[in-house]
Every structure is written in C-alpha cells, then in structure tokens.
Amino acid sequence: MTKKTPKGRVPSLIGGTNGRPVRVEVQRRSECYRCDDEIVAGISCIAIPELGGAFANKRRVCDACYQAILKQTSDDLEELRRL
C-alpha cells in the first residue's frame, strides 16, 4: 500500500481513552492506523491500546507516526505546565 498523509489531528497520549503504548514485534503484515504504511512481519512497531470496551483494541503505528504522537504529547504537557 502506498503511504499517504496521516488522518486527522495527531493524537496525544494524554487522556483517558488510550492505554500505555508498548513495542511489539509484528507477526504478520500489518498497517499503520494513521498513514496506512505497510509494517512487514519481523519488524517492531508501537501498539497503542484503545480502551473503553470489553476488549482493548491495539492500534499499531509506525515509528514516524509515533514520533509525531510523542511530539504532540510533549506539546500538550508543555501547555499544561503553563496553566
């Protein structure tokens, strides 16, 4: 699949809807949920749990999208410190 522009606003890890992200090794081909970039088997990626239901769905993100998420989280923390 071809890489495209990520969907919507960059999410933050601050909030009650996301669990703690973990680095996982991909067992079979997967896609980044933000940019639809292919994550091939055998490579590690970040899995961010989406809490709120009976089961926690884990959304996988590539390293580039995870860096953008970390930057957004850092910006949100900086904004909270200014309060």
Side-chain angles (χ1 to χ4, degrees):
M1 183 140 241
T2 60
K3 189 164 182 153
K4 65 173 188 144
T5 305
K7 307 172 202 170
R9 183 176 172 264
V10 175
S12 175
L13 296 175
I14 298 174
T17 60
N18 293 323
R20 171 184 253 171
V22 293
R23 184 166 286 277
V24 296
E25 188 166 327
V26 177
Q27 299 296 323
R28 59 189 171 118
R29 189 189 67 79
S30 185
E31 292 179 354
C32 174
Y33 91 96
R34 289 202 30 87
C35 66
D36 291 331
D37 194 18
E38 185 175 315
I39 304 171
V40 296
I43 295 189
S44 66
C45 70
I46 305 296
I48 302 174
E50 184 178 19
L51 306 175
F55 301 99
N57 296 328
K58 293 189 178 181
R59 301 186 300 179
R60 295 176 184 222
V61 293
C62 63
D63 288 332
C65 288
Y66 186 64
Q67 292 304 316
I69 291 171
L70 284 179
K71 182 181 179 324
Q72 181 65 40
T73 302
S74 176
D75 293 345
D76 289 348
L77 276 174
E78 194 58 42
E79 187 177 322
L80 288 172
R81 286 187 182 113
R82 282 185 258 149
L83 290 177

